[in-house]
């Protein structure tokens, strides 16, 4: 099923036609005494007026009227105003306004198998009235179910969080995840004639039963990541210090002295406590 334009004309023309029919019918009715055959013409005019009245419809802004003629879809009126369409047709109103759907709080497992809580807001509107009414039982309920299904699928494809900057995560890349959710949801909702305008994650957290454990895990990973950065910097600084000392002072260290110097530099840089300097005054011989 695909939306098509219905037949309709300006409704104000119907008012003029009804006034003319009413005046002529009243005149003919008054002349029946003299000309009995005018009764049939008067009845026909009243029937024509009834047909015109049955075809009158009003379409509000951001609303569509789906026209059915004895169970057959004949088109949709999207233009707002006062119109005349096919007589004795069923006219179904359908809102074209932008709507938003706030999904319920879902508990799913992320890519690493950790239970998380997630929910999203979906902004959508109907773009094909025929598909929305005839291809699905209830398009609004269809949007809700498909939104939660797509959200579950997307959440299971990515980890909640990692310390690798190149990884795509639910917590660190919410915009990219939202765009991916919108793309998948649009594919699911195309059958219902619905356009997805925007999707946003509005809740994301570890499940309560593992929240404290995952917090400790995050802290441990953060400490490990920080230590790794400190060690890499300390090694680089130590290497640079040795090169500058040897080049500037024309000093050649023995392997033992170089190891000792490297050890002292690494300890002083890496330690998170203040270091106590030790002054070496030379070798003291006991007497």
């Amino acid at each position: 099923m695909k939306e098509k334009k219905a037949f309709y004309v300006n409704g104000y023309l119907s008012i003029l036609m009804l006034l003319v029919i009413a005046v002529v019918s009243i005149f003919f009715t008054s002349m029946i005494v003299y000309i009995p055959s005018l009764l049939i013409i008067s009845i026909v005019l009243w029937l024509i007026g009834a047909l015109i009245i049955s075809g009158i419809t009003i379409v509000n802004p951001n609303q569509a009227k789906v026209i059915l003629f004895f169970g057959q879809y004949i088109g949709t009126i999207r233009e707002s105003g006062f119109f005349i369409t096919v007589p004795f047709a069923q006219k179904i109103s359908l809102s074209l306004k932008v709507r938003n759907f706030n999904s319920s709080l879902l508990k799913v497992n992320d890519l690493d198998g950790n239970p998380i809580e997630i929910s999203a807001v979906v902004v959508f509107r109907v773009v094909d009235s025929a598909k929305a009414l005839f291809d699905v039982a209830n398009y609004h309920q269809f949007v809700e179910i498909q939104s939660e299904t797509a959200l579950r699928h997307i959440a299971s494809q990515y980890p909640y969080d990692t310390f690798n900057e190149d990884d795509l995560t639910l917590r660190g890349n919410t915009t990219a995840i939202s765009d991916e959710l919108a793309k998948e949801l649009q594919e699911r909702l195309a059958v219902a004639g619905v356009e997805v305008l925007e999707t946003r994650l509005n809740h994301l957290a570890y499940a309560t039963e593992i929240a404290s454990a995952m917090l400790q895990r995050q802290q441990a990973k953060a400490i490990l990541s920080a230590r790794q950065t400190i060690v890499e910097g300390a090694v680089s600084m130590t290497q640079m210090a040795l090169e500058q000392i040897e080049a500037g002072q024309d000093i050649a260290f023995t392997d033992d002295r170089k190891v000792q110097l490297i050890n002292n530099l690494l300890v002083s840089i890496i330690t998170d406590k203040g270091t106590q300097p030790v002054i070496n005054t030379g070798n003291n011989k006991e007497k």
Side-chain angles (χ1 to χ4, degrees):
M1 189 71 69
K2 189 175 181 180
E3 182 181 302
K4 59 183 179 180
K5 188 176 181 179
F7 166 78
Y8 61 93
V9 295
N10 194 307
Y12 295 102
L13 179 62
S14 66
I15 298 178
L16 179 61
M17 294 174 61
L18 288 173
L19 289 175
V20 173
I21 290 173
V23 172
V24 174
S25 297
I26 292 173
F27 175 75
F28 283 176
T29 302
S30 64
M31 297 296 293
I32 290 176
V33 178
Y34 307 102
I35 308 175
S37 61
L38 293 178
L39 176 61
I40 297 176
I41 299 176
S42 179
I43 293 174
V44 171
L45 290 175
W46 283 111
L47 290 176
I48 293 174
L51 288 174
I52 294 174
I53 293 174
S54 68
I56 291 176
T57 183
I58 298 175
V59 183
N60 297 321
N62 280 327
Q63 185 185 60
K65 288 282 186 172
V66 179
I67 311 301
L68 296 178
F69 187 70
F70 293 102
Q72 183 178 1
Y73 171 67
I74 61 174
T76 300
I77 303 176
R78 280 180 167 266
E79 184 180 355
S80 60
F82 181 49
F83 305 105
I84 306 174
T85 185
V86 179
F88 301 117
Q90 181 184 1
K91 309 169 190 70
I92 304 175
S93 298
L94 183 68
S95 175
L96 302 178
K97 296 179 181 179
V98 175
R99 301 184 182 184
N100 62 75
F101 162 67
N102 190 3
S103 71
S104 57
L105 193 63
L106 306 177
K107 182 179 289 187
V108 297
N109 292 333
D110 68 354
L111 183 63
D112 296 331
N114 301 315
I116 62 173
E117 295 176 348
I118 190 171
S119 65
V121 175
V122 179
V123 182
F124 68 96
R125 66 180 175 185
V126 175
V127 294
D128 192 311
S129 58
K131 290 182 178 180
L133 284 179
F134 306 125
D135 285 355
V136 293
N138 185 314
Y139 79 91
H140 198 277
Q141 187 178 30
F142 186 81
V143 170
E144 294 181 4
I145 295 175
Q146 292 300 322
S147 297
E148 294 185 353
T149 303
L151 184 59
R152 288 180 181 276
H153 179 258
I154 290 295
S156 64
Q157 300 300 307
Y158 301 97
Y160 178 88
D161 194 12
T162 64
F163 287 93
N164 190 345
E165 296 181 356
D166 297 332
D167 291 342
L168 192 64
T169 64
L170 298 174
R171 188 184 68 85
N173 306 92
T174 54
T175 302
I177 297 299
S178 297
D179 293 341
E180 186 70 20
L181 176 61
K183 181 180 178 181
E184 178 170 340
L185 194 55
Q186 183 61 67
E187 295 176 357
R188 293 171 178 264
L189 298 182
V191 67
V194 172
E195 179 187 10
V196 178
L197 301 178
E198 184 184 14
T199 58
R200 290 290 176 187
L201 300 181
N202 63 346
H203 179 85
L204 181 64
Y206 282 115
T208 54
E209 59 266 24
I210 67 164
S212 59
M214 296 311 296
L215 178 60
Q216 294 178 357
R217 179 182 175 184
Q218 284 182 333
Q219 291 174 344
K221 285 187 175 181
I223 294 173
L224 181 61
S225 178
R227 288 293 183 184
Q228 182 179 357
T229 303
I230 292 173
V231 170
E232 291 176 355
V235 172
S236 177
M237 293 172 62
T238 301
Q239 183 179 1
M240 182 174 59
L242 285 174
E243 291 175 353
Q244 291 181 353
I245 292 174
E246 290 179 341
Q249 302 297 329
D250 195 18
I251 299 175
F253 291 105
T254 62
D255 290 342
D256 292 339
R257 296 293 294 173
K258 186 178 292 188
V259 170
Q260 183 179 2
L261 180 59
I262 292 173
N263 178 68
N264 293 339
L265 287 174
L266 288 176
V267 170
S268 62
I269 295 173
I270 294 176
T271 184
D272 55 353
K273 298 180 180 179
T275 58
Q276 298 295 329
V278 176
I279 299 176
N280 188 359
T281 60
N283 295 329
N284 296 324
K285 295 182 179 180
E286 294 182 0
K287 295 182 180 180

